[in-house]
Amino acid sequence: MNTRLAVPKKSPNTKPGKRWLNAFMLTLLLALPLTASAQSSWWCIWFPWLCAAPASSCGAPLSEVTNFGANPGNLKMCQYLPANLGASRPLVVALHGCRQEAAAYDDEPGWTKLADQHRFALLLPQQQQANNSSKCFNWFERGDNERDRGEALSIRQMIDKVKTDARVDPQKVYVTGLSAGGAMTAVMLATYPEVFAGGAIIAGIPYKCANDAGEALGQCGVSLSGQVAPMKNLTPAQWGALVRSASNHNGPFPRVSIWQGTADGTVNPQDQRELVDQWTNVLGIDQIPDGEDTINGQAHKQYKDSNGKVLVETVLITGMGHGTPIAPRAAENGCGKAAPFILDVGICSSFHIIKFWGLDVP
């Protein structure tokens, strides 16, 4: 099973005949001499389409927050606030992949543990199946990948809610995500660059690679079969222009960490190269690494500005498939719990990402 990034978005509308039947059944229901609780139980067993499914919770230790804004993208807001958070602390936004939920992307990649250790607020937006049958964020839809529209705006509204309620430092807001969540991370960095100090894209897609599902599957390296799919090859300037046109922001732009596995059959590893082209161009630096080393044996490249500050980094993990890398057994700097698309490959991406952002120090 893999995290599928592009699937049909909306369920078909109810047909007139079924609407008539539903209305008839509802009328019959109200006429039955049953108590409210018995009536609900009996009819939900035999006619489940008449009974709304109960809203699922975010799952402990996360809590759900409602009334955070207009929510045009119809997303769910889940959060985790450490007990000792205090005021003026950072905020990390973590976006799950397809066929996942917020509860599958909190302690599995190690985010809740790191939030407790380093005292930052954690926001986990959750896709709903009514929007996308595989629970993918709709990074490839114009109605969701542009500023002040759809899912991008919903996530922005969630961020504003946490910033107000938890009194976080507005200069220390960061976003990361896996797969479709990684692609949505690129959307957020591009559409609201003034909001974020940094980002981290794991097995993601460059911003505006696609504006519909067909383009996503045909030109953005996204595969439903596990076979590596073609990825378009734009120039750095072309990629960068897509980000610059997403808002009126003139800079500075967020720093970006980009992670990828060499054996990923769902997202073409070439996507990492295109992401480097996009974000180095946006940040005004060239595409030649200024430093190369290894992290836990994995290739690590750094792209710096003229003052020697690392603005873009990449980590390429040999033999890793599609997922977020973790290291639950590591004695030092380990994290996470192995799960679908959460891969024990001996390196904790979440720790190294917060280190890149500078959140590992008080």
Side-chain angles (χ1 to χ4, degrees):
M1 182 173 72
N2 56 23
T3 51
R4 297 183 176 180
L5 301 185
V7 294
K9 182 180 177 184
K10 301 293 184 183
S11 299
N13 294 328
T14 304
K15 295 180 179 180
K18 190 169 183 179
R19 287 200 299 267
W20 179 89
L21 177 62
N22 285 356
F24 171 77
M25 290 297 184
L26 184 58
T27 302
L28 182 60
L29 164 65
L30 295 175
L32 287 176
L34 298 173
T35 65
S37 60
Q39 173 178 296
S40 173
S41 175
W42 191 88
W43 276 87
C44 285
I45 291 172
W46 291 101
F47 304 100
W49 63 84
L50 292 179
C51 302
S56 61
S57 68
C58 292
L62 305 181
S63 59
E64 183 176 357
V65 179
T66 58
N67 300 320
F68 56 83
N71 191 18
N74 189 35
L75 303 179
K76 179 182 289 189
M77 177 178 174
C78 302
Q79 71 176 18
Y80 177 75
L81 303 179
N84 63 338
L85 180 61
S88 298
R89 298 302 302 165
L91 167 63
V92 172
V93 183
L95 300 168
H96 64 78
C98 299
R99 302 190 184 278
Q100 289 182 323
E101 296 181 342
Y105 210 69
D106 54 1
D107 58 343
E108 287 81 358
W111 284 117
T112 48
K113 172 186 173 182
L114 291 167
D116 285 333
Q117 288 180 341
H118 301 286
R119 293 176 51 231
F120 56 78
L122 183 61
L123 167 64
L124 296 106
Q126 180 170 299
Q127 181 60 283
Q128 304 207 74
Q129 204 159 26
N131 300 332
N132 185 295
S133 61
S134 292
K135 298 184 180 178
C136 309
F137 291 103
N138 288 300
W139 58 273
F140 50 86
E141 295 280 0
R142 286 185 181 274
D144 293 304
N145 68 12
E146 295 180 348
R147 186 180 175 99
D148 295 340
R149 299 184 70 185
E151 293 174 12
L153 180 54
S154 288
I155 296 170
R156 168 63 193 270
Q157 291 174 342
M158 294 179 196
I159 292 169
D160 288 344
K161 177 69 171 174
V162 180
K163 285 166 66 175
T164 299
D165 292 355
R167 298 176 297 162
V168 303
D169 185 341
Q171 303 302 313
K172 294 184 178 180
V173 180
Y174 305 85
V175 60
T176 183
L178 163 68
S179 190
M184 201 67 190
T185 295
V187 169
M188 298 307 298
L189 293 172
T191 55
Y192 297 104
E194 76 280 7
V195 171
F196 301 102
I201 300 169
I202 304 173
I205 316 293
Y207 177 65
K208 279 287 186 175
C209 181
N211 285 301
D212 57 57
E215 191 176 10
L217 286 170
Q219 301 182 48
C220 295
V222 177
S223 173
L224 303 185
S225 67
Q227 301 297 315
V228 175
M231 174 62 194
K232 64 176 66 171
N233 181 14
L234 303 185
T235 66
Q238 288 172 320
W239 282 124
L242 293 170
V243 172
R244 286 186 290 272
S245 65
S247 74
N248 294 323
H249 185 66
N250 292 318
F253 282 85
R255 307 167 69 216
V256 185
S257 180
I258 306 168
W259 294 66
Q260 182 67 48
T262 63
D264 192 336
T266 299
V267 173
N268 189 331
Q270 185 185 338
D271 276 76
Q272 185 181 63
R273 178 69 253 173
E274 304 305 314
L275 281 162
V276 169
D277 286 351
Q278 184 167 69
W279 289 98
T280 52
N281 182 265
V282 168
L283 288 158
I285 57 179
D286 63 39
Q287 292 74 52
I288 302 172
D290 300 291
E292 296 187 51
D293 56 14
T294 61
I295 300 176
N296 292 39
Q298 306 301 331
H300 176 229
K301 296 181 181 180
Q302 300 172 314
Y303 302 80
K304 304 177 182 180
D305 65 11
S306 58
N307 297 317
K309 182 179 181 180
V310 179
L311 299 184
V312 175
E313 72 166 4
T314 63
V315 181
L316 184 62
I317 300 176
T318 301
M320 189 181 81
H322 190 66
T324 295
I326 60 168
R329 294 167 292 184
E332 185 178 0
N333 302 334
C335 74
K337 301 176 181 177
F341 318 117
I342 309 293
L343 308 179
D344 181 1
V345 292
I347 179 171
C348 172
S349 57
S350 302
F351 170 79
H352 290 287
I353 286 167
I354 70 162
K355 184 177 180 180
F356 173 75
W357 291 337
L359 302 188
D360 60 323
V361 295

